[in-house]
C-alpha cells in the first residue's frame, strides 16, 4: 500500500499501519511529490510495524545532493535492517525545477550516476569520483548500514528500463494497465531471479463508476500530459486514444481535455469497482509479472462518509484471495 493515506494525519498512522499488516499487506511504499517526504512515513512505520517491508517510490535524484540522499537512505536502512528498498528516479521538471530550484537536465545520466554513487556509498566505500552530472570528493558514510538497501530505479521507456535491468536491483513502474507489462518487461529483461518489479496501481474502490471515472480523468489529465508520460503512452500505443486529450491540453482547453478522455482509457489505467473487484483486478498485475503491486488509494464517497471504521473494512476487503 502507498502511504501515508490521504486525510489521515501522520500521528494517527500507527492504527493504519496495524490494519494494513493485519489484513495481510506486506509492504508500505511512500512517494514524494508535494505531500510528505518519502522517508518520514517509512521511519514511523519501521518502529510501529517492525515486520513490514518498506520502500520509496520514489526519491527524486535531483532534489537532494548525493551525500544527503545516501545519509537519509542509510538512516532508514539502519532503522529497518533488511526491510528497506530505496527507489530513486528522475521525477519531473516541475518537482525538481519549479519546486526545488534544481536544474532538470540529463535525467537519464543523473539517474545512472546517482545509482552508481549510492551503490558505492551505501556499501561503506569512500567515493572520490567525477560522474557525468556531478562530482563527489572523498565522501564516506560515518554510519554505513549493516544491510545496504536494495536500489530500485523508476523507469518508463526503453533506455531507463534497460539501465534498471543492467545496474539496479529492481525497477519501479507507474501508470500502466496490466496488459502493458509484457512490452515493458521485455525491455527490462534480466536473468536475475531476485530482480524486483514494483508497480504503483491507482485504485478507486467504489461501485460508483461515474465517481471513479471523474477522479480518474482528472489524474490522467494531470499526469499523462507531462512530456515524459505522454511519450511513454505514445510508445505503449495509446496515441489514438489519448491524442484528443493531448491536443486540447496543448491548446489550453482543460475542460475539453478532460472530456476527451474516453471511459476505455480510465478503465485501463485506474482500477475501480467494489473493494473485492479491485483486489481481484490488482491480482492480474501480479499474474502479468509484477512482484510488488503497490496500491495507491484514491478518494471515494464511502471513505469520505465512513471514517476510520470504513477505512479498516476497506483495507481488509482489498486484499485479493491468496
Amino acid at each position: 500500500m502507498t502511504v501515508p493515506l490521504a486525510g489521515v494525519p501522520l500521528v494517527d498512522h500507527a492504527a493504519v499501519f496495524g490494519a494494513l499488516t493485519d489484513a495481510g499487506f506486506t509492504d508500505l511504499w511512500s512517494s514524494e511529490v508535494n505531500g510528505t517526504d518519502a522517508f518520514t512515513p517509512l521511519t514511523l512505520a519501521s518502529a510501529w510495524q517492525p515486520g513490514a517491508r518498506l520502500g520509496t517510490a520514489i526519491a527524486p535524484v535531483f532534489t537532494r545532493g548525493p551525500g544527503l540522499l545516501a545519509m537519509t537512505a542509510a538512516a532508514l536502512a539502519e532503522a529497518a535492517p533488511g526491510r528497506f528498498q530505496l527507489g530513486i528516479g528522475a521525477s519531473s521538471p516541475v518537482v525538481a525545477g519549479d519546486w526545488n530550484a534544481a536544474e532538470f537536465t540529463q535525467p537519464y545520466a543523473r539517474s545512472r550516476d546517482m545509482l552508481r554513487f549510492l551503490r558505492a556509498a551505501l556499501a561503506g566505500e569512500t567515493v572520490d569520483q567525477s560522474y557525468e552530472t556531478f562530482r563527489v570528493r572523498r565522501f564516506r558514510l560515518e554510519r554505513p548500514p549493516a544491510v545496504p538497501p536494495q536500489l530500485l530505479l523508476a523507469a518508463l521507456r526503453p533506455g531507463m528500463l534497460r539501465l534498471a535491468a543492467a545496474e539496479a536491483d529492481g525497477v519501479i513502474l507507474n501508470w500502466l494497465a496490466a496488459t502493458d507489462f509484457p512490452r515493458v518487461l521485455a525491455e527490462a529483461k534480466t536473468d536475475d531471479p531476485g530482480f524486483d518489479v514494483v508497480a504503483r496501481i491507482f485504485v478507486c474502490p467504489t461501485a460508483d463508476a461515474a465517481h471513479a471515472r471523474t477522479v480518474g480523468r482528472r489524474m490522467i489529465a494531470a499526469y499523462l500530459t507531462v512530456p515524459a508520460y505522454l511519450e511513454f503512452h505514445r510508445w505503449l500505443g495509446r496515441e489514438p486514444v489519448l491524442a484528443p486529450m493531448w491536443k486540447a491540453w496543448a491548446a489550453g482547453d482543460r475542460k475539453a481535455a478532460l472530456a476527451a478522455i474516453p471511459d476505455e482509457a480510465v478503465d485501463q489505467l485506474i482500477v475501480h469497482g467494489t473493494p473485492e473487484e479491485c483486489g481481484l483486478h490488482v491480482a492480474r498485475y501480479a499474474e502479468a509479472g509484477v512482484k510488488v503491486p503497490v496500491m495507491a488509494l484514491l478518494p471515494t464517497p464511502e471513505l469520505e462518509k465512513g471514517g476510520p471504521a470504513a477505512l479498516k473494512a476497506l483495507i481488509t476487503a482489498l486484499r485479493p484471495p491468496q
Side-chain angles (χ1 to χ4, degrees):
M1 184 64 73
T2 300
V3 295
L5 298 188
V8 183
L10 276 178
V11 72
D12 295 331
H13 263 70
V16 172
F17 296 151
L20 287 165
T21 301
D22 290 345
F25 284 83
T26 58
D27 287 47
L28 304 172
W29 287 76
S30 63
S31 62
E32 189 167 281
V33 184
N34 62 344
T36 63
D37 70 282
F39 294 93
T40 301
L42 300 187
T43 303
L44 294 172
S46 72
W48 288 338
Q49 286 300 322
R53 293 203 325 161
L54 312 171
T56 58
I58 57 161
V61 297
F62 286 101
T63 55
R64 294 176 181 83
L68 178 58
L69 183 53
M71 287 187 290
T72 308
L76 187 48
E78 184 178 338
R83 297 190 289 121
F84 169 54
Q85 293 175 291
L86 175 62
I88 62 171
S91 190
S92 73
V94 170
V95 172
D98 294 352
W99 297 347
N100 286 286
E103 189 175 354
F104 188 85
T105 57
Q106 297 181 272
Y108 174 89
R110 175 80 177 198
S111 299
R112 179 202 61 210
D113 293 348
M114 191 68 83
L115 183 64
R116 292 174 179 175
F117 164 78
L118 289 168
R119 179 77 70 194
L122 290 168
E125 298 176 16
T126 298
V127 182
D128 190 351
Q129 187 168 341
S130 291
Y131 299 89
E132 183 179 346
T133 58
F134 56 82
R135 170 82 169 98
V136 174
R137 294 181 174 86
R138 298 200 59 75
F139 174 84
R140 186 178 185 279
L141 283 169
E142 183 179 311
R143 299 169 66 105
V147 183
Q150 287 188 312
L151 300 178
L152 279 61
L153 182 66
L156 297 177
R157 288 183 289 162
M160 204 75 87
L161 289 164
R162 292 169 191 158
L163 176 62
E167 300 196 28
D169 300 307
V171 65
I172 297 173
L173 306 168
N174 196 18
W175 278 109
L176 287 163
T179 52
D180 292 324
F181 279 89
R183 179 167 190 183
V184 171
L185 295 181
E187 298 291 343
K189 189 175 182 180
T190 173
D191 296 328
D192 180 2
F195 187 80
D196 257 340
V197 177
V198 179
R200 174 160 284 122
I201 304 163
F202 295 103
V203 178
C204 192
T206 178
D208 185 345
H211 171 87
R213 287 170 177 155
T214 297
V215 172
R217 281 187 174 88
R218 290 173 184 159
M219 292 192 65
I220 288 170
Y223 275 88
L224 303 193
T225 54
V226 173
Y229 281 108
L230 186 156
E231 294 301 330
F232 178 43
H233 281 270
R234 181 174 282 151
W235 174 67
L236 288 171
R238 286 204 174 85
E239 184 164 11
V241 174
L242 296 179
M245 175 192 72
W246 293 333
K247 182 178 180 181
W249 190 271
D253 192 338
R254 304 301 190 247
K255 185 175 180 180
L258 284 169
I261 302 169
D263 289 350
E264 170 194 354
V266 181
D267 296 346
Q268 286 179 352
L269 297 170
I270 304 291
V271 173
H272 63 92
T274 66
E276 293 79 8
E277 289 170 340
C278 289
L280 291 172
H281 191 155
V282 169
R284 293 202 284 274
Y285 283 80
E287 293 165 4
V290 178
K291 292 187 178 180
V292 187
V294 181
M295 299 185 192
L297 287 183
L298 301 180
T300 70
E302 295 87 346
L303 283 175
E304 290 174 3
K305 296 175 184 176
L311 176 60
K312 186 172 183 179
L314 169 65
I315 288 171
T316 301
L318 275 174
R319 279 288 290 171
Q322 299 299 298

